Amino acid sequence: MNKLIINNLSKTYPNGVKALNNVSIEIENGMFGLLGPNGAGKSSLMRTLATLQEADSGVATLNDIDIFNQPEELRKVLGYLPQEFGVYPRITAEQLLDHMAILKGITNSKERKQLVNYLLDKVNLYEKRKKNVKSFSGGMKQRVGIAQALIGNPKLIIVDEPTAGLDPGERNRFYNLLAEVGKEVIVILSTHIVDDVHELCTKMAIMDAGRIVYQGTPQNAIDELDGKVFQRFVTREELEIFANNYAIISNKMVGGQPFIHVLSETNPENGFELVKPNLEDVFFSKINKSNVLV
Ligand code: ADP
């Protein structure tokens, strides 16, 4: 069992933005969802753990590796799929993975060839191995990204916003691949998409404005809201009034009319009905309410 322990991590950028504010999380094998709105600090945390940038204070360990004091050790067991996986122009999938394997220190060419073939097969791109990565769809590029992240048997795999821009079919294939990979190692999936976490992750944290505002299982968070979420349609005019009188946790348009979820200890009456809470309710109830109405 691998264990990642993050303790009191803080980071303020030179422009004064406090991207990480005393972040502490413990993560074991399996898919871990790091959910947060844009700007929450997820990428800052992922880049810090990947040793691409330094924190101002705090400690992080992966098993017996002190990540910030032994970055070289960490990199040997890290697979990282950054938010924007830059692919080289005019290079085939096979060449790209071969190149990445050299960078990871696999010098024996026979061993490398075997590994590259294995990875291409695993991400279902073997047939396309001689094709230019540039010509790949978003989903195929992400699968190349995962393949390169798997080089060197990583114990920690970080994927930052991996499903942005994928169509539903591509997203599903990517989910399946991640779920398979995530059995034996730690996979941290950073995302602002609630469904990503809902479908894949057994444990999660919610991040907002640099802080961890929830940590646990998605189901526990949902259970905590049981009996407290009410819904109703409102008119546009009512929306403003309701916003002043109720704790609105989500607001969307359904068939052209605003439809709101509110959080309340007791039934607010007034046309509201009780609903079974979902992970989206959890997300919006934990993050800064001002995000909900914009
Ligand atoms: P997320 O990945 O959750 O969208 P980020 O970690 O990218 O969040 O950003 C957190 C906050 O830090 C945002 O306000 C962002 O504008 C700011 N930020 C991110 N990177 C930098 C940087 N290199 N310099 C200054 N501010 C940054």
Side-chain angles (χ1 to χ4, degrees), residues 71 83 141 152 164 176 196 202 204 209 220 225 230 236 247 286 290:
Q83 201 163 348
K141 281 183 185 149
N176 286 333
D196 286 354
T202 42
M204 68 180 286
N220 270 350
L225 290 186
F230 300 85
R236 274 167 226 272
K286 301 280 183 196
S290 62

Side-chain angles (χ1 to χ4, degrees), residues 13 15 17 19 37-45 47 83:
Y13 287 111
N15 63 359
V17 173
N38 285 329
K42 303 180 300 296
S43 290
S44 298
L45 179 59
R47 288 196 302 265
Q83 201 163 348

Side-chain angles (χ1 to χ4, degrees), residues 121-171:
D121 184 55
K122 184 145 183 135
V123 300
N124 214 1
L125 286 173
Y126 187 79
E127 302 297 315
K128 302 272 195 288
R129 68 192 183 284
K130 304 280 185 208
K131 294 247 179 306
N132 231 312
V133 178
K134 217 179 168 187
S135 69
F136 282 5
S137 71
M140 286 158 73
K141 281 183 185 149
Q142 287 299 64
R143 280 185 279 145
V144 176
I146 279 291
Q148 65 79 28
L150 290 174
I151 295 170
N153 281 326
K155 295 186 168 131
L156 170 63
I157 297 176
I158 293 175
V159 285
D160 198 356
E161 298 276 357
T163 63
L166 301 192
D167 69 37
E170 286 179 330
R171 181 174 292 191

